[in-house]
Amino acid sequence: MTRGASSTTQHPSHILRVATYNIHKGVRGIGPRKRLEIHNIGLGIEALDADLVFLQEVRSFNNAEARRFPDTHFGWPRVPQADHLAPEGYDVAYRTNAFTADGEHGNALLSRWPLDEDIGHHDVSDHRFEQRGLLHVKIDWHGHVVHGIVAHLGLMHSSRVRQVARIAAFIAHHVPQHEPVVLAGDFNDWGEKLDGPVREMGLERAERGTPQRTFPSRVPIFSLDRIYTRGFRCAATFVPRGNVWARMSDHLPLVADLELA
């Protein structure tokens, strides 16, 4: 059996379950109270039973954190975080967005279904103080080519508007019009102002009714984490809640069940 399609789903086969999750680089807290949450996040991701998991703030390596959390069974992972988080049988795509003094971080896509080997990365940075990028991967789902795009937009509204315009140009140039798209990630859209510009590029927000709140995780007020689609209908959305989820990251995951339109 092809790697990436070997895991058994707990949802109907015609449903493509998609999750997006900002994992806060796998750690929480500051100073002596900083704790490693990457192992708990891995258990949480597996429990979501998602076919596609769009991740932001993922680390491939960080030397300072590896020293802080010794390399034991429950310490800093011996492999890049995306590989560590992937449930058994899942394919993994990762690309770096930003480099720091001790390491880097970027976006990842974990897939129950086979991924194309040609993994794309497109720089959408708006200024030198925020390094931002798109991860673009083609997924083979039941013989359909689905384009998965992982995004993490900037902290300023003007930057986000320009980044959405760059995403629109990227899709227009790199994604055939007849092929379905899932664009998901942390949009940092505090004022709920990006749905219109994204709709203009032919994508709809995958939510039913009131937008799902995902930030901050302990008392979610804002709907920063989004899933936008083309070629799908949204059957359901949910956000897992509770103390366990609240402690793992400052964001909660957003999950959507999609059907081909």
Side-chain angles (χ1 to χ4, degrees):
M1 184 175 289
T2 302
R3 183 175 183 268
S6 59
S7 299
T8 302
T9 66
Q10 301 301 312
H11 52 268
S13 61
H14 73 283
I15 292 290
L16 180 68
R17 176 166 290 179
V18 174
T20 182
Y21 193 13
N22 182 327
I23 68 166
H24 200 260
K25 306 180 182 74
V27 297
R28 290 300 304 275
I30 58 175
R33 297 177 63 86
K34 181 180 282 190
R35 63 184 186 272
L36 186 63
E37 288 290 341
I38 193 71
H39 302 285
N40 292 327
I41 291 170
L43 296 174
I45 286 175
E46 190 163 8
L48 295 177
D49 187 36
D51 297 291
L52 304 176
V53 185
F54 293 63
L55 298 175
Q56 307 87 51
E57 293 195 20
V58 183
R59 282 173 165 158
S60 180
F61 73 95
N62 185 278
N63 297 324
E65 300 291 24
R67 290 191 298 269
R68 182 182 184 91
F69 303 103
D71 187 10
T72 64
H73 181 66
F74 293 105
W76 192 257
R78 299 179 183 181
V79 297
Q81 286 185 342
D83 295 283
H84 177 77
L85 293 173
E88 183 177 358
Y90 278 52
D91 279 354
V92 177
Y94 174 82
R95 288 293 183 269
T96 298
N97 286 341
F99 290 93
T100 61
D102 293 299
E104 51 75 78
H105 58 86
N107 297 331
L109 179 64
L110 316 180
S111 175
R112 175 180 270 132
W113 298 88
L115 297 179
D116 191 283
E117 294 181 358
D118 184 16
I119 300 171
H121 182 263
H122 182 62
D123 186 4
V124 293
S125 302
D126 191 57
H127 50 82
R128 64 188 181 91
F129 300 107
E130 285 187 275
Q131 297 167 284
R132 306 285 179 174
L134 303 177
L135 175 68
H136 172 229
V137 192
K138 288 183 284 187
I139 305 116
D140 180 0
W141 179 60
H142 291 309
H144 300 280
V145 175
V146 177
H147 292 260
I149 302 173
V150 192
H152 188 187
L153 301 192
L155 297 176
M156 296 188 300
H157 174 67
S158 58
S159 291
R160 295 191 292 271
V161 170
R162 288 187 286 269
Q163 287 165 344
V164 167
R166 290 169 190 153
I167 293 172
F170 176 83
I171 291 175
H173 285 89
H174 297 279
V175 180
Q177 291 186 357
H178 66 282
E179 293 180 348
V181 177
V182 179
L183 166 67
D186 178 0
F187 283 76
N188 272 315
D189 184 19
W190 307 85
E192 295 281 343
K193 297 179 179 179
L194 294 182
D195 284 356
V198 174
R199 192 177 298 112
E200 289 177 3
M201 69 173 87
L203 277 69
E204 292 291 336
R205 190 162 169 177
E207 292 190 42
R208 291 294 188 94
T210 304
Q212 299 275 9
R213 299 175 180 180
T214 57
F215 183 90
S217 57
R218 292 201 178 277
V219 186
I221 301 173
F222 300 102
S223 304
L224 302 188
D225 303 277
R226 309 278 176 84
I227 298 170
Y228 293 98
T229 70
R230 185 181 78 190
F232 288 100
R233 288 187 298 267
C234 180
T237 59
F238 68 91
V239 172
R241 303 188 187 278
N243 291 335
V244 172
W245 285 103
R247 66 170 280 131
M248 291 193 296
S249 172
D250 56 344
H251 289 248
L252 295 172
L254 171 64
V255 185
D257 285 348
L258 307 177
E259 302 172 298
L260 279 176

